Amino acid sequence: MRLNKCLLEKVVHLWLQGQVALWRLPAGLEGAADESEEEALDARWWGAAGVRHWLQEHVTRVPGHLWDSEAESALLAAARGAELTGARLLDDLLPELMRGLDYDSADSDLDEDEDLALESEAEDEPPRARLRRELRWLRRGPPDPATEESAPHALLCPLSHRLLWSPARAADGLTYERGAAHEWFLAAEGAVSGVSGRRLRSARLLPNYGVRRALRRHLRSARAKPDPDPAPENVDTADLLELGE
């Protein structure tokens, strides 16, 4: 079995901390790991494949905001040429990242204000603006307890019961936190529904863009309300019913 180098390093790191007892991907998950490369890993552990996967899922191939093949190829080539890793996406200054991806830096790129990560996407959002906004979204900090407590149930992961961070739809049609779902599959030794316990046809996880938009709205609403116990914002049912679009 081919084991991704970054995944192996992650497993060794967790083993040294006494947090892992699994050394073999369960039968049926090897293909899924090859297919989605490093999607199971925390962003900080992404290598080139993980960065490419993130760029395609959240920047160049988002429904309603598809880049043309030439623009996507240019962006992926720039990321490859800059040898970007997940750690660099999280730690490098935004102007440096934008220049590394062949986008001229502007004054707005210097602003690390987290509120900018919560901006809603414009229908005619230009590629440069989307890339910058998604970088800010990736780098955002964890929500405060009040924001998590006020979240609608639909924005909580069925496995961790925590506020979603990277909503992903599994083959059972339900939306989970991506990392929690992968950990569940490993513990279950296969692709098993985290709610029904039924065997799934695939371990593939797809981003749920509708729930992601609802999450962004909730975070923005919570940030705007100084009340320590704000009322939960209504969630658009249409967004929650989207199955990864």
Side-chain angles (χ1 to χ4, degrees), residues 20-213:
V20 70
L22 291 171
W23 281 92
R24 179 178 58 85
L25 282 176
L29 286 189
E30 295 94 333
D34 290 344
E35 183 178 10
S36 58
E37 294 292 340
E38 299 166 2
E39 68 172 11
L41 300 178
D42 180 272
R44 186 165 296 281
W45 293 87
W46 291 345
V51 171
R52 182 184 69 246
H53 187 78
W54 175 77
L55 286 171
Q56 290 176 326
E57 276 201 340
H58 298 298
V59 180
T60 66
R61 298 185 182 181
V62 178
H65 299 273
L66 297 177
W67 290 26
D68 62 59
S69 58
E70 184 177 349
E72 182 187 61
S73 296
L75 177 65
L76 297 181
R80 188 167 56 250
E83 300 182 340
L84 288 184
T85 63
R88 289 190 58 195
L89 291 180
L90 295 174
D91 299 334
D92 283 9
L93 295 176
L94 279 176
E96 294 177 3
L97 283 175
M98 296 296 288
R99 284 194 294 269
L101 292 170
D102 287 345
Y103 282 90
D104 291 336
S105 178
D107 290 342
S108 59
D109 293 327
L110 298 173
D111 198 338
E112 297 276 358
D113 186 351
E114 189 169 319
D115 285 342
L116 296 174
L118 307 181
E119 295 174 342
S120 53
E121 58 193 39
E123 186 173 343
D124 57 348
E125 187 174 43
R128 180 178 179 280
R130 179 167 196 88
L131 174 60
R132 187 178 63 242
R133 185 166 57 78
E134 286 301 327
L135 282 168
R136 288 188 173 116
W137 177 254
L138 180 69
R139 295 151 68 106
R140 72 193 188 280
D144 58 67
T147 298
E148 188 155 8
E149 291 172 5
S150 67
H153 181 74
L155 294 182
L156 302 181
C157 172
L159 291 172
S160 69
H161 305 292
R162 301 292 301 275
L163 184 64
L164 291 165
W165 179 269
S166 180
R169 178 177 60 87
D172 60 0
L174 300 175
T175 297
Y176 301 87
E177 176 57 38
R178 186 184 290 271
H182 275 289
E183 291 175 3
W184 175 264
F185 291 160
L186 285 171
E189 299 190 349
V192 174
S193 171
V195 174
S196 69
R198 292 182 177 180
R199 184 72 56 177
L200 304 178
R201 66 180 182 276
S202 170
R204 184 74 186 275
L205 296 170
L206 300 173
N208 191 320
Y209 299 106
V211 171
R212 198 166 181 263
R213 285 194 294 270

